Amino acid sequence: MSDTPFMTEVTQPILIKDGALFLGTCPNGWIPGGTDAGFGLFHRDTRYLSRYELTLGGREPLVLMSSAARRFEAVHQLTNDEIVQTDGKPMAAQCFGLRLGRTVTGDGLGLADRIEIRNFALEPIRFELALTIDALFEDIFELRGAEAKSRGPLRSVETRDDGLTFRYVGADAVERRLTMLLDGAPTITVHGSARRLAFDLEIDAQQTEALKIRFEVEEVGAPAHAIPPAPAVFDGVSVSSDNPVFDRLLDRSFQDLAMLLTELEEPFIAGGLPWFVAPFGRDSLIAALQSLPFDPRPAEGVLRLFARHQGRKNDAETGEERGKIPHELRVGAMANLGEVPHRPSYLSIDATPLFLILIGRHAEWTGSHALFDELRTSVDAALAWMTERSAADPKGYLTYDRQNEDGVIHQGWKDSKTGVPRADGGPSDGSIALSEVQGYAWLARRLMAAACRRAGEDAVAASLDATADALREHFNADFWMEAEGCFVLGLEDGGRQLDVVSSNAGQVLWSGIADTDKASRTAERMMRPDMNCGWGVRTLSADAAAYNPLNYHLGSVWPFDNALIAAGMKGHGLDAPAVALFDALIDVSEHFAIGRLPEFFIGFDREPGLFPARCPFAEPLQAWSAGAAPYLLTELLGLRPGPSGPVLDNPLLPTGVARLEILGLTVGDQRFDCRVSRGDGGVISGSVTPAEERAA
C-alpha cells in the first residue's frame, strides 16, 4: 500500500471489526481527542466516533490488560489511580477494578459497551465517572493528511432522555448520524464540540455497579448498494500441530482474514485496518488467492466486485482504462465529491493480471468453470487491456508511466515515491517495467490459456501461450543481471536496467517465468545476508545506495513478499531456503501481539536476544500478511487440486513442526482433511481424506 499521497503514523491500536463497522482504541479502551492515529469508530470511510474518553475522579484509569483476540469483541481490565472521592476523601490506587467489555455488530451498525466496576475496598466509595464524547464525521482521507475542500453545514447535537444524537449532513448530501444510548442519567455539559457526561457513583464494599452504553451508526442518502449477507468464511477450518507458536499464527491468520471480510456490492477481504477497509486491488486479490484452498467464497466476491467496476473509459485522473481492474474503491464524502480519485482509482499496473490469475486458480481449485464463464466478458476485457498496454513496449512488457509528483508515481506493490530506485539511489524515470509484474502477466496468460483450452477454445489458448512464450524469452534476456546473479528490479526508459538487488527478483520465482538456472541463482542471492536479515528477505539489499531498513520499501521486511518468494522457491524445487523463510515468519509471529504478522517490519539484522522491530507506519492488521502463513503452508505441503480432491506433492514441514493436521480444505463443494508428519530419518509423508470420514 502506498505512502502517497497520504501517510500517517499508526499507533498500535486495539482493533475489533464486524462487517463494515470497526473500532480502533488505545490499549486503555478509549479514543483520545485530537488524534489522527487510527483511533475511532469507523463506517464506510468515515470516522463517526472521534473522541471517547473516561476519567475516574478526574484521572485516567490504569491499564491492566487489553485483548481483542475475538475479532468483534474486546475486553479491557483497568483500575483506578489515586483519586479524590466526591466527599473530598482520598482514595488509594487500585481500590477497585473496572472491566470494559465491548462488541461491534456489523448488521446492526452498533457498538455495545458494558462497564463493570467492583469495589475491592472495605468501605463504600463514591466518585465521579465521566465520559467525554465527540463525533466529527471526518473522512478517512482527512485523518491521513488530505484537506477536505468541502464540508457540509454545521453539525448538530441533540440531547435526549436516553442519550445523545450527533447529526452531520456532508457536502455530498449524505446525512450521517451517531446516537449514544445510556441506561443512566448523567449530568451533560458542553465542552467545545464535545459533550461531557458525568455519573455520580456510589458502590458498597465488595459490590459491583454496571453501566451500559450503546452507539448506533446511521447513513441516510448514500448511493444505494445491494449489500449481501457476509458468509461465515473459513468456518470449520482449523490447523493444529505439535508447535503452539505455529498453531497460534495459523489460528490468528484465519481469524484475521474472516475479520477483514467486508460487504459492499459483494463480500470481499478488505486491504487492512485501520486505513484500508476497502476493496484494494492487489491486496484483496492476493489475500483471496492465499486463502483459496480453505474457502473460495472471498475470491468469488472480490472477482465479481472488481468485474463490476472494471474500466469502461479512459480517465487520466483516476487512471481508468478500458478493461483495467480497479486499484482502490472508496465510498466516503471526499470520494463521493471527487476530491480524491478513489471512486474507484485504477492506478496500479498489477491488479489486472492478478485478477486473471485468481480466476484461473479458482477454476483449478473448485474444478468448475462457472465463474470463468460468468465473468468471461471481464476476462476478455482484461486480456485486451494487457495486450494494448504491452503493445506500447517493443518487447511486449507491461509498463506504466510515472505520474506527476503530486499523485501516484509508481504502480506496482512498491508504490511509494522512493520505492523503485536506481543503483545510485536516485529515482527511476519514464516508462517502467517491473520484474515481478512481467511474471504476473506471463502467469495470467498461461492460466487463461489453460482455461480456454478446457473450454474447447484451442486457437485462443494457442495465441495466449505464444504471447507468454515470447514474453518469457525476452524477459530472461533483458531482466537478468549476471554480475549479481539475479533479476533486476525493473527496466526504465530505453530498456535501461534498474540494476539493484531487491525482493522483486524473488517474486519472479513465484510466477514461474524464470528459467530454471536463473531461478536457482536468484534464490541463492535472496538468501545472502544483505538480503536476508534473519527475520526474512528485505525489500532492498543492505548494499544498495538507497537502503534504509526503516523505510516502507527500501529495506523493510514484508510477510506477504516472503511468502511469495518462499512459494516460488518451493515451486522450483529449492526446498531448504523455502523452509528457512517459513521458519523465520513463525519466529516473527512470536514477537508481535496475539501472533499477528504486521504489514511489514523494520529490516534490522537478527541478533541473539533481540526481536523484530515494529515500524510505526505499518498497518497492524493487513490482509496479505494475514494470508501469508496459510498460503505458505499449502505451498510447502505441495497441496494441489486433483481430480478427486487435494493431493500432496513433495510435502515439506517447518523445522519446528513434526506433526500437522489441517481440517476443512475445500475443493469444489467438498471438504477434505490433511495429515502430515515427519517420521524416522526426517522423511515427511501425509494423506488427504474426505472430511466425512472424520465425522464417521
Side-chain angles (χ1 to χ4, degrees):
M1 294 176 177
S2 176
D3 66 356
T4 56
F6 314 117
M7 187 93 170
T8 188
E9 178 175 350
V10 181
T11 303
Q12 296 299 289
I14 301 296
L15 298 168
I16 55 176
K17 177 180 177 293
D18 188 45
L21 186 71
F22 72 93
L23 175 75
T25 72
C26 292
N28 64 10
W30 309 110
I31 302 166
T35 179
D36 58 1
F39 301 131
L41 182 65
F42 293 81
H43 177 62
R44 289 172 58 86
D45 297 332
T46 301
R47 181 165 72 171
Y48 279 75
L49 184 56
S50 309
R51 185 178 181 185
Y52 187 13
E53 298 172 324
L54 176 143
T55 58
L56 305 169
R59 303 194 67 175
E60 292 184 6
L62 306 175
V63 183
L64 303 175
M65 185 280 295
S66 298
S67 174
R70 291 180 284 191
R71 291 167 29 194
F72 52 85
E73 297 177 341
V75 174
H76 304 264
Q77 297 281 8
L78 313 172
T79 188
N80 66 291
D81 200 347
E82 293 181 354
I83 64 173
V84 177
Q85 298 188 63
T86 306
D87 60 7
K89 293 181 181 179
M91 183 191 302
Q94 303 175 35
C95 281
F96 61 83
L98 186 153
R99 184 184 193 275
L100 169 61
R102 57 175 30 136
T103 304
V104 291
T105 53
D107 289 345
L109 292 181
L111 165 65
D113 281 0
R114 179 180 173 87
I115 299 173
E116 296 180 355
I117 300 176
R118 178 164 182 182
N119 177 14
F120 294 115
L122 299 177
E123 58 187 21
I125 56 175
R126 184 177 179 185
F127 62 95
E128 179 194 72
L129 182 153
L131 300 172
T132 304
I133 309 295
D134 206 356
L136 299 177
F137 303 98
E138 305 109 315
D139 190 280
I140 200 160
F141 285 99
E142 290 183 82
L143 300 176
R144 292 170 56 196
E147 181 181 355
K149 298 181 177 66
S150 304
R151 291 285 292 179
L154 292 176
R155 181 201 62 168
S156 65
V157 184
E158 174 190 354
T159 301
R160 309 156 34 131
D161 292 340
D162 58 353
L164 299 166
T165 295
F166 297 82
R167 286 187 175 86
Y168 171 71
V169 180
D172 59 348
V174 176
E175 180 179 346
R176 297 172 174 89
R177 303 173 189 163
L178 177 72
T179 298
M180 178 185 189
L181 302 174
L182 303 164
D183 62 358
T187 299
I188 302 177
T189 54
V190 177
H191 281 247
S193 63
R195 297 298 184 269
R196 186 175 188 271
L197 295 80
F199 298 83
D200 185 11
L201 299 183
E202 185 170 4
I203 309 174
D204 289 336
Q206 298 298 322
Q207 297 302 305
T208 300
E209 290 287 336
L211 175 65
K212 294 180 180 178
I213 303 168
R214 179 173 174 81
F215 293 93
E216 295 179 351
V217 166
E218 189 175 3
E219 191 178 60
V220 181
H225 293 284
I227 301 177
V233 291
F234 312 113
D235 186 34
V237 173
S238 68
V239 177
S240 59
S241 75
D242 55 349
N243 184 324
V245 176
F246 173 82
D247 291 354
R248 185 176 80 147
L249 169 60
L250 269 294
D251 178 69
R252 174 48 45 196
S253 296
F254 287 117
Q255 289 206 50
D256 284 348
L257 287 167
M259 179 176 170
L260 286 169
L261 194 76
T262 308
E263 307 87 15
L264 201 55
E265 294 124 333
E266 299 283 348
F268 64 95
I269 296 176
L273 290 174
W275 301 128
F276 295 99
V277 180
F280 205 93
R282 68 179 73 91
D283 302 59
S284 296
L285 290 164
I286 288 178
L289 179 67
Q290 291 169 325
S291 57
L292 187 58
F294 303 97
D295 197 324
R297 291 172 295 177
E300 293 159 4
V302 75
L303 287 169
R304 290 188 176 108
L305 179 62
F306 284 148
R308 188 181 303 226
H309 291 278
Q310 190 172 23
R312 303 287 189 269
K313 63 182 185 300
N314 294 330
D315 184 331
E317 182 186 3
T318 65
E320 182 178 3
E321 297 170 7
R322 292 180 182 86
K324 197 175 185 184
I325 293 300
H327 171 57
E328 184 176 359
L329 172 61
R330 294 293 187 166
V331 293
M334 292 181 70
N336 293 342
L337 293 166
E339 295 180 3
V340 292
H342 308 78
R343 51 188 188 273
S345 161
Y346 296 81
L347 293 171
S348 70
I349 192 67
D350 49 10
T352 306
L354 287 169
F355 173 84
L356 295 171
I357 289 169
L358 183 56
I359 289 179
R361 293 300 191 209
H362 178 275
E364 291 177 349
W365 266 104
T366 61
S368 169
H369 264 232
L371 187 64
F372 173 80
D373 293 338
E374 175 190 334
L375 301 181
R376 184 57 189 272
T377 300
S378 292
V379 168
D380 291 343
L383 287 168
W385 176 83
M386 287 177 57
T387 299
E388 183 176 348
R389 176 58 71 96
S390 299
D393 184 87
K395 299 290 185 68
Y397 297 137
L398 203 55
T399 65
Y400 64 90
D401 295 319
R402 286 169 50 107
Q403 304 295 304
N404 62 62
E405 293 295 326
D406 296 327
V408 173
I409 294 177
H410 294 297
Q411 295 189 30
W413 80 267
K414 294 179 180 177
D415 51 0
S416 56
K417 290 182 178 180
T418 59
V420 184
R422 291 172 173 162
D424 62 5
S428 51
D429 196 18
S431 181
I432 296 170
L434 296 171
S435 59
E436 82 281 5
V437 172
Q438 311 319 309
Y440 298 167
W442 179 85
L443 181 57
R445 290 189 175 99
R446 281 292 194 208
L447 289 171
M448 291 302 95
C452 290
R453 191 168 286 110
R454 289 192 294 269
E457 301 177 41
D458 291 344
V460 176
S463 176
L464 289 168
D465 277 337
T467 303
D469 288 342
L471 174 62
R472 180 173 185 170
E473 181 178 355
H474 290 311
F475 175 85
N476 279 276
D478 295 344
F479 282 74
W480 183 248
M481 185 167 44
E482 180 62 31
E484 289 287 358
C486 71
F487 293 99
V488 296
L489 170 57
L491 305 179
E492 57 181 340
D493 264 354
R496 296 187 303 273
Q497 289 189 341
L498 298 170
D499 50 351
V500 293
V501 180
S502 70
S503 65
N504 301 59
Q507 281 202 30
V508 168
L509 308 186
W510 174 73
S511 64
I513 193 174
D515 290 342
T516 300
D517 61 326
K518 293 182 174 66
S520 297
R521 294 180 64 188
T522 298
E524 187 275 331
R525 187 65 187 85
M526 293 297 102
M527 299 303 286
R528 291 185 199 171
D530 64 307
M531 283 299 291
N532 181 8
C533 71
W535 298 112
V537 174
R538 296 180 174 105
T539 47
L540 188 68
S541 166
D543 295 336
Y547 171 68
N548 179 352
L550 288 79
N551 184 275
Y552 210 48
H553 295 132
L554 299 180
S556 56
V557 179
W558 291 60
F560 104 92
D561 193 24
N562 277 258
L564 294 187
I565 293 169
M569 291 172 173
K570 172 63 162 61
H572 285 277
L574 307 169
D575 296 351
V579 171
L581 291 183
F582 199 3
D583 289 346
L585 281 183
I586 296 169
D587 292 345
V588 166
S589 74
E590 195 171 10
H591 299 286
F592 284 90
I594 62 176
R596 174 179 288 155
L597 294 173
E599 181 183 21
F600 65 94
F601 53 91
I602 294 171
F604 291 148
D605 285 334
R606 185 172 185 170
E607 298 180 53
L610 302 184
F611 46 85
R614 178 185 74 86
C615 180
F617 296 100
E619 288 273 276
L621 172 54
Q622 216 273 352
W624 59 16
S625 290
Y631 178 69
L632 194 44
L633 174 61
T634 59
E635 290 298 302
L636 256 65
L637 291 177
L639 277 167
R640 299 289 181 264
S644 56
V647 296
L648 293 165
D649 179 14
N650 182 31
L652 304 176
L653 286 172
T655 301
V657 175
R659 175 189 52 77
L660 172 72
E661 180 180 68
I662 304 174
L663 304 181
L665 288 166
T666 302
V667 174
D669 57 358
Q670 290 185 280
R671 289 288 186 95
F672 295 86
D673 299 337
C674 174
R675 294 170 181 86
V676 181
S677 61
R678 193 191 314 270
D680 295 339
V683 176
I684 297 172
S685 60
S687 62
V688 179
T689 57
E692 58 262 25
E693 293 184 12
R694 178 209 338 154

